[in-house]
Amino acid sequence: MANHLRRQIREAIATAVTGLTTTSTRVFQSRVYPLERGTDLPGLLVFSLAETSERRTMPAPGLMERTLRVQVVAVARALADLDDTLDGICKEVEVALAMPCAALAGLAKTITLTSTDVELQGTSDRPVGQAAMTYEVVYLAAENAPDVAF
């Protein structure tokens, strides 16, 4: 049995944003610990936030339309122009995940950027900032087969 579509989608998004100019291969899924100063920055964190479901067909088991919220968080450190660095990373991510997104082909119907929240911290020797991009990914799956996309 394949992995849940939620996991497949999260992994496809991580694949799509791996190899970008600024963050390269520094892409981590479901990361709960802070990125290391030297080796992990600038980097991206990719994780699922929440999901809603709605039945689209009857009778049971029905076809479910699911909306998954995925967050891609850009993290960077800089002495100057930290906002510019984060905006550059966001641009690279947005281009990589624009529809049609090849990495999500066959898994999702749509992926839409719904918000970006920027936070800067000046408490270390070099300021650290993050830009949290929230995406909504719509996909279809049968109630009894959450690992197969329709």
Side-chain angles (χ1 to χ4, degrees), residues 19-137:
L20 300 179
T21 302
T22 306
T23 53
S24 186
T25 59
R26 295 178 298 275
V27 177
F28 308 94
Q29 293 184 53
S30 301
R31 186 82 176 227
V32 292
Y33 298 104
L35 299 177
E36 295 298 323
R37 290 183 180 201
T39 58
D40 295 341
L41 295 177
L44 296 170
L45 305 173
V46 178
F47 49 90
S48 303
L49 291 175
E51 182 177 88
T52 58
S53 302
E54 186 175 333
R55 183 188 299 262
R56 289 292 175 203
T57 62
M58 296 295 266
L63 187 62
M64 301 294 288
E65 179 178 291
R66 298 175 182 226
T67 302
L68 174 64
R69 286 183 32 232
V70 176
Q71 201 159 64
V72 179
V73 180
V75 183
R77 292 176 46 133
L79 288 173
D81 302 324
L82 183 53
D83 283 325
D84 295 344
T85 300
L86 291 171
D87 285 342
I89 296 170
C90 287
K91 176 186 172 188
E92 293 172 8
V93 169
E94 289 175 37
V95 169
L97 296 179
M99 286 303 286
C101 179
L104 291 173
L107 294 176
K109 299 300 181 192
T110 62
I111 180 169
T112 306
L113 177 65
T114 59
S115 68
T116 302
D117 297 304
V118 178
E119 180 181 322
L120 305 176
Q121 299 174 355
T123 57
S124 65
D125 58 334
R126 290 193 334 186
V128 176
Q130 68 178 35
M133 296 163 276
T134 302
Y135 284 86
E136 285 190 353
V137 181

